[in-house]
Amino acid sequence: MADKINLVDEITGHRRMRRNRKADWTRRLVRETSLSVDDLIWPIFLVPGSGIVEPVAAMPGVNRMSVDKAVEAAREAADLGIPALATFPNEAMELRDVTGSYSLSSDNLINQATRAIKAAVPGIGLITDVALDPFTSHGHDGILRDGEIVNDETVEAIARAAVIQADSGADIIAPSDMMDGRIGAIRRALDAAGHHQVGIMSYATKFASAFYGPYREAINTGGLLKGDKKTYYLDPANGTEAVRDAALDVEEGADMLMVKPGLPYLDICWRIKEAFGLPVFAYQVSGEYTQIKAAAMNGWIDGERAMLETLLCFKRAGCDGILTYFAPEVARILARG
Ligand code: PBG
């Protein structure tokens, strides 16, 4: 037998990374990021009617709610300290058409919910989407003509929809359609209507992703969608193009930027935060939520820990907050300490 070899060299010997990890109290002292209820935006689904709370099959624990129930949810969210809600409507099929014209009705579900929630729970922030997909008969985010999603006409429609949403009381307009020039157009339209205080959270970098599947079930667009959204959403392969797209939105007047989906795109979150310094939000989308829920329901992962870990990782990647279907669940856990 050879003599015992000292495998730990002198330098490693006194540089011990594990000293700071040795106890809960040291780990808490050196922790660089944290998750708080202030980081959460809760996306909710709306349906027509009253007294309705119906589960979304592909998103266990998530419901579609009629406006009266959404008001109750808003009150619950405010009590939990959640700063803001984002609303998404599942409109009746007969109200959907080729141009998504019902997006311009002040009585559509988004606008109804905005008025009702603002009246009952004035302290909670309301973020509304102006994309046309809940209102079109083909499930696309824009106006479809001769097989093409026409950009400028869509931008005009969503800028008008934005003003109607702001008239109804929306605090932040969040366009999720990825049309070119929409941020500038929405800003000009809002200002012309006197809505200087209404902000814009740009879905600046929205990727053509497979992770939106359960959402399309929630608002019933999945079955309608012809083709895909690759002519307007970003290619998941492209990071530099995403930063460039975000730069245009910053120039056009975006107050906040969003990256969507979230977890597979943490590099984009980081690059955009570094590049512009604006508040950056990640949308932990339906498919990301469902992955964690499904695995947890099968007993294959610890769902609560996985949920908290993903949300913390968004913070580490430079995000100021997260749109997440987990919001009320997380808020309850954070409150319990
Ligand atoms: C479309 C829109 C999408 C989502 C919200 N608005 C994507 C899509 O259906 O193409 C996805 C949200 C989610 O998956 O949680 N404007």
Side-chain angles (χ1 to χ4, degrees):
M1 276 281 274
D3 284 349
K4 196 168 164 251
I5 302 167
N6 186 7
L7 292 172
V8 178
D9 70 27
E10 228 170 76
I11 294 169
T12 314
H14 60 263
R15 286 187 194 156
R16 296 279 175 172
M17 293 304 288
R18 291 179 55 189
R19 269 195 289 266
N20 290 345
R21 301 176 198 149
K22 71 181 175 190
D24 180 62
W25 67 265
T26 53
R27 292 192 292 270
R28 281 192 285 129
L29 271 180
V30 303
R31 191 159 292 147
E32 298 170 30
T33 43
S34 62
L35 179 69
S36 123
V37 70
D38 297 337
D39 303 323
L40 304 172
I41 297 170
W42 184 22
I44 61 168
F45 297 116
L46 305 165
V47 278
S50 67
I52 299 171
V53 177
E54 68 185 22
V56 178
M59 301 178 73
V62 170
N63 299 304
R64 301 183 194 89
M65 294 174 275
S66 50
V67 169
D68 55 327
K69 292 292 177 183
V71 170
E72 284 175 27
R75 200 170 281 124
E76 185 199 339
D79 290 346
L80 285 166
I82 294 171
L85 303 178
T87 50
F88 297 94
N90 178 23
E91 296 282 5
M93 282 298 160
E94 60 271 21
L95 294 170
R96 306 187 193 193
D97 61 22
V98 212
T99 59
S101 61
Y102 199 55
S103 68
L104 298 172
S105 164
S106 60
D107 280 329
N108 68 32
L109 280 173
I110 293 183
N111 294 320
Q112 272 185 46
T114 298
R115 284 192 297 271
I117 292 170
K118 275 290 157 187
V121 196
I124 201 156
L126 275 184
I127 302 172
T128 55
D129 188 359
V130 279
L132 297 183
D133 58 298
F135 307 100
T136 54
S137 47
H138 43 74
H140 278 291
D141 295 19
I143 295 168
L144 178 67
R145 181 159 307 119
D146 301 328
E148 190 190 335
I149 303 302
V150 289
N151 194 90
D152 298 3
E153 214 176 306
T154 301
V155 168
E156 260 174 54
I158 65 176
R160 283 170 61 206
V163 171
I164 298 164
Q165 291 183 356
D167 289 343
S168 305
D171 299 293
I172 294 179
I173 305 298
S176 73
D177 51 276
M178 290 299 282
M179 296 300 122
D180 288 320
R182 73 216 191 286
I183 300 299
I186 292 171
R187 185 70 272 158
R188 282 188 290 276
L190 288 173
D191 288 350
H195 291 302
H196 306 280
Q197 292 288 4
V198 173
I200 302 177
M201 177 188 284
S202 170
Y203 284 66
T205 62
K206 182 172 187 182
F207 292 84
S209 171
F211 289 95
Y212 306 141
Y215 167 91
R216 293 181 189 170
E217 186 214 302
I219 68 156
N220 263 302
T221 54
L224 300 175
L225 189 64
K226 309 248 182 332
D228 56 44
K229 302 191 178 182
K230 291 179 187 169
T231 67
Y232 46 107
Y233 290 1
L234 282 156
D235 184 336
N238 297 354
T240 303
E241 184 187 343
V243 176
R244 214 175 135 230
D245 211 324
L248 297 177
D249 290 1
V250 174
E251 254 171 53
E252 290 173 34
D255 300 288
M256 302 171 176
L257 301 171
M258 191 206 293
V259 175
K260 180 182 180 179
L263 215 58
Y265 298 89
L266 288 186
D267 57 323
I268 310 291
C269 297
W270 181 259
R271 285 173 76 166
I272 282 180
K273 185 67 195 180
E274 291 280 293
F276 309 110
L278 256 69
V280 170
F281 293 83
Y283 197 144
Q284 182 175 49
V285 299
S286 57
E288 298 177 71
Y289 172 88
T290 294
Q291 278 185 311
I292 293 175
K293 277 288 172 196
M297 284 164 72
N298 277 295
W300 293 335
I301 55 167
D302 179 333
E304 186 174 310
R305 284 187 53 206
M307 162 182 83
L308 291 169
E309 183 178 326
T310 56
L311 294 169
L312 186 64
C313 289
F314 287 117
K315 297 295 300 293
R316 194 203 60 237
C319 292
D320 297 272
I322 309 106
L323 290 95
T324 176
Y325 301 98
F326 288 120
E329 200 176 333
V330 179
R332 263 178 237 112
I333 292 169
L334 292 173
R336 145 187 121 197

